[in-house]
């Protein structure tokens, strides 16, 4: 199948192509178009021209279009899921879950209330309006290429903006297929999809006619996006990297917590911005938790995502695979590898689920974002000390606290410098609950009415 760009309602090929590699075989299995600068300009122009009609389309009709898009995704769900596994690597069951989440995100966005209200002000009639910005550039990473992009598109379209969407170079296919599915269901130019290399993202951030960039990706790239957007004072939402900590308090059931923590650390081979990436366990249950985690790690079936029974797929690309191996090597003499620590099979970017205990708190695997199937486990005695260690990170995306006393856990939550604190759970994201990063994990929210406000600007009408 030939994957095409969507520009002004038309599917287009390009002069140059980018091979797409299946991370479980390291073989090229498809090509994606590399959009030229002219194609980007035409996509932005089409989105600009579609903006006026789209923002004036009654809200209920925009909601109905999102529901129709969700239905179209459901109708092609299996094809999208298999393609997602091939380009991203995740097990087919997880790919099906991601595609279903994309559809749910469209439906749930269709239900969200838009911001805006009247302000009480004696002698004046003051209306606080939120109006769409214009053309939104949506840039997504490769870990959840489908659902992260769909959420951006849903929020931007609901709020009356038009979109130019750019997937990551290594996972462009499900977004291109979505463009093909969505094109006939929207007025031409309302949604445009362009794929290419990183420079395409850079051109988007610098483009004078894109009014906002909604970016999800790494912190270093987030900085470049901010730099590029500075010239035009473009609006930005930056959802960046994380190094989420989980804190296990004394008295927690080691077995039950270990099971839930394990899935929140190893989902998608650990390639989740809000995966648990460092675990602090009270000394009283440290050994027990480490044992449980190691048993779980050894039981995981690692292999190609399309193979029956596989629970963990490969890392998505070679660069990430090599980076995670490097972090494991660095940790070898700074802690005890209780499980994993090796390449799981070859070819393919497979790494065994790895548990590292008694690790030096300054080791790279603790301080940096590993974004892979490796969990460092740290022992603590004093909870205040752990809070300081958690807050010492440059990142501040999420964190979780595990313990039998929810009130005590909520008290501790108030001390954490992060965007979301979960108690006795992790990874729980919903379309109606805003999600935002603190510190170098980014700024601006996505999801919820607060997230929609980021796709709009304030206009006060005061009479
Ligand atoms: P990345 O930063 O390398 O790439 C993300 C996207 O940015 C890609 O589409 C890429 O082509 C594009 N890009 C690259 N250079 C650019 C530039 N100069 N200007 C504009 N766009 C550019 O990230 P990645 O490696 O694809 O994804 C992994 C990272 O994403 C991790 O750090 C992870 O934590 C983060 N992430 C964050 C969230 C969140 O919601 N906070 C969610 C998922 C992933």
């Amino acid at each position: 199948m030939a994957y095409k760009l969507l520009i002004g309602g038309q599917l287009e090929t390009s002069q140059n192509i980018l091979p797409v590699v299946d991370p479980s075989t390291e073989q090229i299995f498809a090509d994606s178009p590399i959009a030229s600068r002219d194609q980007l300009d035409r996509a932005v122009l089409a989105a600009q021209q579609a903006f006026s009609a789209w923002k004036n389309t009654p809200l209920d009709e925009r909601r109905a279009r999102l529901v129709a898009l969700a239905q179209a995704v459901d109708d092609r769900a299996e094809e999208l899921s298999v393609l997602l596994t091939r380009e991203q690597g995740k097990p087919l069951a997880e790919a099906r879950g991601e595609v279903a989440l994309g559809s749910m995100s469209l439906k749930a966005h269709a239900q969200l209330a838009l911001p805006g209200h009247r302000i009480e002000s004696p002698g004046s009639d003051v209306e606080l309006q939120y109006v769409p910005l214009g053309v939104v550039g949506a840039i997504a990473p490769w870990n959840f290429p489908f659902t992260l992009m769909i959420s951006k598109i849903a929020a931007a379209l609901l709020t009356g903006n038009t979109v130019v969407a750019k997937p990551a170079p290594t996972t462009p296919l499900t977004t291109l297929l979505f463009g093909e599915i969505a094109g006939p269901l929207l007025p031409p130019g309302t949604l445009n999809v362009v794929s290419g290399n990183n420079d395409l993202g850079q051109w988007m951030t610098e483009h004078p006619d894109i009014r906002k960039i909604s970016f999800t990706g790494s912190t270093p790239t987030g900085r470049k996006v901010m730099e590029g957007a500075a010239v035009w004072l473009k609006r930005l939402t930056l959802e960046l990297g994380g190094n989420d900590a989980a804190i296990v308090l004394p008295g927690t059931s080691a077995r039950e917590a270990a099971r839930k923590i394990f899935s929140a650390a190893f989902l998608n081979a650990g390639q989740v911005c809000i995966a648990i990436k460092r675990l602090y366990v009270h000394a009283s249950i440290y050994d027990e938790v480490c044992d449980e985690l190691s048993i779980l790690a050894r039981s995981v079936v690692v292999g190609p995502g399309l193979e029956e029974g596989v629970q963990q797929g490969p890392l998505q690309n070679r660069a990430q695979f090599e980076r995670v191996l490097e972090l494991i090597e660095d940790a070898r003499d700074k802690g005890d590898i209780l499980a994993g620590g090796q390449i799981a099979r070859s070819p393919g970017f497979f790494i065994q689920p790895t548990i590292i205990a008694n690790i030096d708190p300054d080791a790279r695997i603790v301080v940096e974002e590993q974004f892979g199937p490796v969990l460092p486990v740290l022992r603590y005695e004093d909870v205040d000390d752990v809070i300081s260690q958690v807050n010492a990170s440059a990142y501040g995306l999420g964190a979780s606290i595990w313990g039998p006393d929810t009130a005590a856990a909520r008290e501790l939550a108030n001390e954490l410098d992060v965007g979301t604190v979960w108690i006795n759970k992790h990874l729980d994201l919903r379309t109606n609950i805003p999600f935002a990063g603190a510190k170098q994990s980014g700024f601006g929210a996505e999801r919820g009415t607060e997230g929609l406000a980021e796709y709009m600007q304030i206009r006060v009408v005061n009479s």
Side-chain angles (χ1 to χ4, degrees), residues 54 109 132 136 151-163 452 455:
W54 183 248
H109 272 94
V136 168
S151 296
K152 292 178 190 305
I153 291 172
L157 292 183
L158 179 69
T159 47
N161 298 281
T162 54
V163 180
L452 295 183
Y455 287 86

Side-chain angles (χ1 to χ4, degrees), residues 429-440:
L429 292 185
R430 315 238 169 136
T431 302
N432 63 337
I433 302 175
F435 172 64
K439 299 190 280 187
Q440 291 181 40

Side-chain angles (χ1 to χ4, degrees), residues 61-122:
E61 192 184 326
R62 296 207 301 264
R63 292 188 192 281
R65 298 266 186 161
L66 293 192
V67 175
L69 289 176
Q71 184 58 52
V73 167
D74 291 343
D75 292 345
R76 305 274 291 268
E78 193 57 15
E79 182 186 356
L80 282 161
S81 305
V82 171
L83 187 62
L84 181 56
T85 290
R86 290 216 72 191
E87 70 173 348
Q88 205 284 333
K90 62 186 63 186
L92 184 57
E94 284 183 30
R96 288 187 179 127
E98 181 175 344
V99 170
L101 267 180
S103 159
M104 274 157 54
S105 171
L106 286 158
K107 285 183 213 148
H109 272 94
Q111 304 280 325
L112 284 180
L114 263 57
H117 56 270
R118 294 198 111 75
I119 296 175
E120 287 304 319
S121 181

Side-chain angles (χ1 to χ4, degrees), residues 140-142 166 169 198 201-202 215-218 221 239-241 273 369:
W142 46 254
K166 188 205 87 67
N198 291 341
Q202 184 79 33
F215 173 82
T216 301
S218 66
T221 309
E239 297 284 2
L240 308 179
C273 56
E369 179 187 37

